[in-house]
């Protein structure tokens, strides 16, 4: 029902704003822009997202099927089972869902966009096998989705690359702020869902795992900033990401060969399911992206920003952060939209400006909540998302607030 109200709201707001602009401001082209946004987004959601995703889905679900047959997923389930059994109490320790969730989080942590979505959809599908009410999101699926929408990653390679293209003095200066902001977003979302689901966060196993992850991130950040130059950081990030991305199928295939499994046939079997899933999610993609497109085209985001700027002036607050806020508004709605906003902010104010840097931190502090909910829940036929969207937006808000504070701390 939450998605229903949100989707209807996109069109209602767009129509009302369009009508006001036509009647009171004489904007005779506003509805032409709205109609164009509908057709353009419906086309791009299929041609630019769904079709390329079909190839990635077929590839990675084929590889994951090899991993399952080789026993790699079961092995990972045993390793992370004690932690995930507490964070996802509805998922048995030895269930393949545990390994699939781990693979998905690993891909997101490393910023492996091409692999992250197919692996995430596989994880959602494996949790759906345990879901008693197939049309209602389970506790485990909500926890997983909220952690996913926090956008937790330790290698913001795409953002660094875009800053380099726009000739930033130090493209990697947003590296630590991005990690801090996205980590705050993930922890905030996890705590909220844990409270809602009555999960004991003070459990020694949970504390030790979260403490270990925090320590690893801290050590990596310390090493990168003290022993590597900005060029070396970018090189290590790029090499490590692609090396690990290629290492996964090599390990899976090797394990399958040792077990004397017909690797090619197993891959084809998984790839077929990947293609079927990618076709199934097209209506959900079209619906959500068209709604977002008309909401953006009507100028609602600009009005939100102008209102925020006015409020900050009235409260005698610094308004520099407002220039980057369009990125924060767009991030929960559209990944490509927020990236476009980030580039626009850097082009307008400069990549070395406060707004330019903050826009990059916003883009790296969370993920596209509405898109992820529609995509992941839609892929398994879930119609009732319960509190997944509010919890995801809470994580996004925590990331936005953290990004603002971190930006003032680092770039003042």
């Amino acid at each position: 029902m939450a998605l229903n109200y949100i989707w209807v709201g996109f069109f209602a707001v767009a129509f009302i704003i369009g009508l006001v602009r036509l009647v009171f401001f004489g904007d005779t082209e506003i509805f032409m822009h709205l109609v164009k946004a509908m057709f353009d987004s419906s086309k791009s959601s299929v041609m630019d997202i769904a079709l390329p995703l079909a190839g990635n889905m077929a590839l990675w679900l084929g590889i994951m099927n090899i991993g399952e047959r080789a026993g790699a997923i079961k092995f990972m389930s045993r390793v992370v089972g004690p932690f995930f059994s507490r964070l996802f109490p509805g998922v048995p320790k030895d269930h393949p869902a545990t390994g699939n969730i781990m693979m998905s989080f690993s891909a997101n942590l490393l910023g492996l966009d091409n692999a992250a979505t197919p692996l995430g959809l596989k994880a959602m599908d494996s949790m759906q096998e345990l879901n008693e009410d197939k049309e209602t999101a389970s506790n485990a699926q909500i926890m997983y989705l909220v952690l996913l929408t926090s956008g937790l990653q330790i290698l913001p390679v795409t953002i660094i690359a875009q800053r380099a293209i726009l000739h930033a003095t130090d493209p990697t200066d947003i590296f630590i702020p991005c990690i801090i902001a996205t980590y705050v977003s993930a922890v905030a979302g996890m705590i909220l869902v844990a409270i809602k689901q009555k999960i004991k966060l003070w459990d020694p196993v949970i504390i030790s795992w979260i403490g270990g992850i925090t320590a690893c991130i801290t050590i990596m950040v310390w090493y990168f900033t003290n022993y590597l130059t900005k060029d070396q950081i970018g090189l290590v990030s790029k090499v490590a990401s692609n090396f690990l991305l290629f290492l996964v199928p090599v390990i899976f295939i090797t394990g399958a060969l040792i077990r004397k499994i017909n690797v090619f046939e197993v891959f084809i079997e998984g790839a077929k399911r990947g293609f079927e899933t990618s076709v199934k999610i097209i209506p959900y993609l079209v619906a959500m992206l068209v709604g977002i497109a008309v909401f953006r085209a009507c100028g609602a985001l600009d009005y939100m920003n102008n209102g925020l700027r006015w409020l900050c002036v009235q409260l005698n607050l610094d308004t520099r952060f407002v220039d980057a806020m369009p990125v924060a508004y767009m991030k929960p709605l559209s990944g490509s939209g927020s990236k476009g906003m980030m580039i626009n902010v850097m082009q307008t104010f400069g990549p070395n400006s406060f707004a330019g840097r903050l826009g990059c931190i916003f883009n790296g502090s969370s993920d596209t909540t509405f898109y992820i909910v529609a995509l992941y829940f839609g892929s398994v036929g879930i119609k009732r998302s319960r509190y997944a969207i509010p919890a995801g937006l809470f994580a996004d808000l925590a990331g936005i607030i953290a990004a603002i504070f971190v930006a003032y701390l680092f770039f003042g």
Side-chain angles (χ1 to χ4, degrees):
M1 291 301 293
L3 275 180
N4 175 57
Y5 294 136
I6 290 167
W7 194 71
V8 171
F10 285 150
F11 283 90
V13 169
F15 179 76
I16 292 171
I17 292 178
L19 199 60
V20 169
R21 290 176 62 169
L22 174 64
V23 175
F24 295 99
F25 299 96
D27 187 351
T28 57
E29 297 186 347
I30 180 59
F31 282 100
M32 180 189 72
H33 292 315
L34 294 178
V35 171
K36 184 176 184 300
M38 284 197 302
F39 284 111
D40 288 348
S41 60
S42 62
K43 177 182 176 181
S44 64
S45 61
V46 176
M47 302 303 294
D48 299 334
I49 298 178
L51 290 183
L53 181 60
N56 286 329
M57 286 287 295
L59 170 65
W60 286 102
L61 291 193
I63 291 172
M64 287 293 290
N65 200 39
I66 295 173
E68 285 185 10
R69 296 289 186 88
I73 304 301
K74 186 174 291 186
F75 172 77
M76 294 185 68
S77 299
R78 288 199 298 268
V79 173
V80 300
F83 174 54
F84 277 9
S85 65
R86 289 162 174 79
L87 202 60
F88 300 90
V91 179
K93 292 182 181 180
D94 57 347
H95 194 274
T98 303
N100 290 329
I101 293 170
M102 182 64 184
M103 289 291 295
S104 171
F105 283 150
S106 299
N108 279 281
L109 281 170
L110 295 170
L112 306 179
D113 294 337
N114 291 335
T117 300
L119 295 180
L121 291 171
K122 176 65 175 177
M124 183 62 70
D125 183 63
S126 60
M127 282 185 282
Q128 183 70 350
E129 295 176 3
L130 300 168
N131 190 3
E132 295 181 358
D133 185 350
K134 300 300 182 183
E135 293 189 351
T136 302
S138 67
N139 285 349
Q141 288 171 320
I142 293 174
M143 174 64 83
Y144 171 73
L145 186 135
V146 171
L147 290 175
L148 204 63
T149 61
S150 70
L152 184 61
Q153 62 173 312
I154 57 177
L155 296 173
V157 179
T158 304
I159 298 173
I160 292 173
Q162 193 59 59
R163 286 181 57 76
I165 291 171
L166 294 177
H167 308 292
T169 303
D170 183 1
T172 62
D173 58 6
I174 49 83
F175 174 65
I176 295 177
C178 277
I179 292 178
I180 295 173
T182 189
Y183 191 64
V184 169
S185 176
V187 172
M190 181 184 68
I191 291 174
L192 178 65
V193 176
I195 292 173
K196 180 71 174 177
Q197 297 181 1
K198 296 181 173 57
I199 296 173
K200 297 178 180 178
L201 289 174
W202 295 110
D203 185 283
V205 174
I206 293 180
I207 296 233
S208 61
W209 268 85
I210 294 177
I213 294 172
T214 303
C216 289
I217 292 176
T218 302
I219 292 171
M220 188 202 68
V221 170
W222 172 79
Y223 177 78
F224 272 35
T225 54
N226 286 279
Y227 292 96
L228 298 181
T229 65
K230 60 183 180 181
D231 293 331
Q232 289 173 328
I233 291 175
L235 180 62
V236 170
S237 299
K238 180 174 66 176
V239 172
S241 297
N242 288 286
F243 172 76
L244 291 172
L245 185 62
F246 196 76
L247 182 63
V248 169
V250 169
I251 292 175
F252 286 179
I253 291 171
T254 302
L257 289 174
I258 292 174
R259 292 196 169 197
K260 297 180 180 180
I261 294 171
N262 188 324
V263 178
F264 184 76
E265 287 188 2
V266 171
F267 174 85
I268 295 300
E269 179 186 317
K272 287 180 179 178
R273 292 201 299 267
F275 185 78
E276 292 168 359
T277 300
S278 63
V279 172
K280 183 179 179 180
I281 63 178
I282 287 178
Y284 297 92
L285 284 177
V286 172
M288 184 54 63
L289 295 181
V290 167
I292 291 170
V294 297
F295 182 77
R296 181 181 179 184
C298 73
L301 294 179
D302 294 331
Y303 299 138
M304 290 169 60
N305 217 39
N306 291 335
L308 178 61
R309 190 185 303 277
W310 177 85
L311 179 62
C312 289
V313 170
Q314 300 305 309
L315 297 175
N316 294 319
L317 299 176
D318 185 276
T319 60
R320 287 181 298 161
F321 77 94
V322 179
D323 294 324
M325 285 302 293
V327 183
Y329 301 146
M330 185 55 64
K331 187 62 180 181
L333 302 174
S334 166
S336 58
S338 66
K339 181 181 178 182
M341 289 289 188
M342 177 189 74
I343 294 172
N344 179 261
V345 169
M346 285 195 287
Q347 289 174 334
T348 302
F349 300 97
N352 300 315
S353 66
F354 181 84
R357 288 178 169 125
L358 178 56
C360 294
I361 302 172
F362 278 148
N363 203 41
S365 65
S366 60
D367 213 329
T368 51
T369 298
F370 292 113
Y371 171 83
I372 287 176
V373 170
L375 178 66
Y376 283 70
F377 282 175
S379 69
V380 293
I382 288 177
K383 298 179 180 179
R384 291 179 287 275
S385 59
R386 298 169 66 198
Y387 52 88
I389 292 177
L393 292 177
F394 175 80
D396 293 340
L397 178 61
I400 290 170
I401 295 173
I404 294 173
F405 277 100
V406 169
Y408 278 105
L409 177 64
F410 279 78
F411 309 116

